Each structure stands twice: as C-alpha cells, then as structure tokens.
C-alpha cells in the first residue's frame, strides 16, 4: 500500500518538475525573440501552460485507450467463458490479457490486473477439474503475489482447494 502512495507522490513530483523544465525552456525562448512587453510574456506563459495541458491530456488519453482495450478483452473473454464454459479458450485469453501493454498499471476491483488474472486462472482450473495445474499455480501465486487484497482472494481460493 505504501508503494502505491509513494509512486503517486513521485508521479506528481515528476509532472511538476517537467512543468518547471518546460516553462523555463519557453521563457528562455522569449529572451532570444526579444519580446520585452508584458503581452509577449503573458502569451508565452499561456502558450507554455497550453502545451503542458495538451501533453497531459495526450498522455491521459493514451493510458485510457490501453486500459479500455484490456477491459474490453477481459470482459469479452469472461462473457465467452460464462456462456460456453470452454476453459482452454478462456485460459489462453487470460494469458493474452496478461501480456497486453500497460497491464502493470491496471487494477481490477482494487487488485493489480495481473494478480486478478492469475487468481481467475486458478478458479477456472479448479472449476475445470485440473487439480495439479491449479495447485501448482496457486502455490506459485502465493509466493509471488504481495498485494494485500490479492492475498485475501488467494487464501479464499486455497480454502476451496483443500
């Protein structure tokens, strides 16, 4: 939990530093252009802020598109599994979802998406009666997954296996 808060704080500091760097750069450009009047400096400030806003929204849209692609693919795979109960197709689709770009930053119900996909695989293996594979994945997941919410789900799943 602390790591997430630290990452958010570091992200905010990073954005603030980039803003300072870009604004300083644009101010240095105005000195070479020799805009000495107040209107020219005000135009430079507005231009700098506009570029920062454009960069931020471009980054935000890019991240949103990646998250939406993951959510759509995961949702379609879950719907297909619910209707057909084809465990092999669902497991392969979950693997494909886990390999998608940007999945490391996604969360599903306050759980990192990769952890959620792993827990979903364990559940599907249990439902499909593939005991050896499911137990092996469960033991591996219990060692690798550190998130508190994920650990709660793993404990509940381990109880179902025993």
């Amino acid at each position: 939990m602390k790591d997430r808060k630290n990452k958010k704080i570091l992200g905010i500091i990073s954005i603030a530093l980039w803003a300072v760097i870009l604004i300083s750069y644009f101010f240095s450009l105005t000195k070479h252009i020799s805009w000495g009047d107040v209107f020219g400096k005000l135009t430079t400030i507005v231009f700098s802020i506009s570029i920062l806003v454009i960069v931020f929204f471009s980054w935000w849209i890019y991240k949103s598109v990646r998250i939406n692609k993951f959510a759509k693919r995961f949702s379609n795979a879950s719907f297909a599994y619910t209707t057909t109960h084809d465990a092999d197709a669902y497991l392969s689709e979950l693997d494909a979802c886990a390999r998608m770009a940007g999945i490391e930053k996604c969360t599903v119900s306050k759980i990192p998406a990769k952890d959620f996909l792993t827990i979903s695989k364990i559940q599907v293996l249990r439902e499909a009666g593939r005991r050896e594979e499911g137990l092996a994945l469960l033991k591996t997941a219990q060692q690798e997954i550190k998130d508190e919410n994920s650990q709660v789900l793993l404990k509940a799943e381990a109880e179902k296996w025993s």
Side-chain angles (χ1 to χ4, degrees):
M1 195 70 134
K2 277 187 173 180
D3 291 339
R4 279 193 194 155
K5 288 180 182 177
N6 290 341
K7 285 182 182 179
K8 287 182 181 180
I9 291 171
L10 288 175
I12 291 169
I13 292 171
S14 171
I15 290 172
L17 288 175
W18 274 109
V20 168
I21 290 169
L22 288 174
I23 289 173
S24 300
Y25 172 73
F26 287 118
F27 274 129
S28 71
L29 284 179
T30 60
K31 290 182 181 177
H32 295 294
I33 297 173
S34 71
W35 289 344
D37 60 338
V38 174
F39 180 72
K41 289 190 185 221
L42 183 63
T43 303
T44 304
I45 291 171
V46 170
F47 179 70
S48 302
I49 291 172
S50 300
I51 287 185
L52 289 175
V53 168
I54 289 169
V55 167
F56 172 75
F57 280 113
S58 300
W59 170 80
W60 185 60
I61 290 169
Y62 174 71
K63 297 286 285 180
S64 297
V65 166
R66 287 173 39 172
I67 291 169
N68 286 338
K69 281 183 182 180
F70 163 73
K72 188 180 221 178
R73 188 167 191 173
F74 180 65
S75 177
N76 289 340
S78 298
F79 179 77
Y81 176 69
T82 303
T83 56
T84 65
H85 293 289
D86 184 3
D88 291 327
Y90 187 53
L91 289 170
S92 66
E93 195 63 25
L94 289 178
D95 286 334
C97 286
R99 289 189 304 268
M100 291 180 75
I103 193 74
E104 301 83 21
K105 306 281 184 190
C106 295
T107 59
V108 178
S109 301
K110 297 183 182 179
I111 296 173
K114 278 202 171 202
D115 296 352
F116 192 84
L117 292 172
T118 302
I119 294 167
S120 296
K121 286 181 198 176
I122 295 167
Q123 291 171 344
V124 170
L125 289 170
R126 180 178 43 81
E127 291 172 3
R130 294 160 70 174
R131 187 165 179 78
E132 295 85 25
E133 287 179 73
L135 285 173
L137 185 58
L138 179 63
K139 288 181 182 179
T140 305
Q142 286 174 330
Q143 294 171 356
E144 292 178 358
I145 294 176
K146 304 296 181 203
D147 183 66
E148 294 172 13
N149 295 331
S150 300
Q151 285 294 328
V152 170
L153 288 180
L154 283 173
K155 286 178 185 173
E157 194 62 33
E159 290 174 6
K160 292 177 185 176
W161 281 91
S162 51

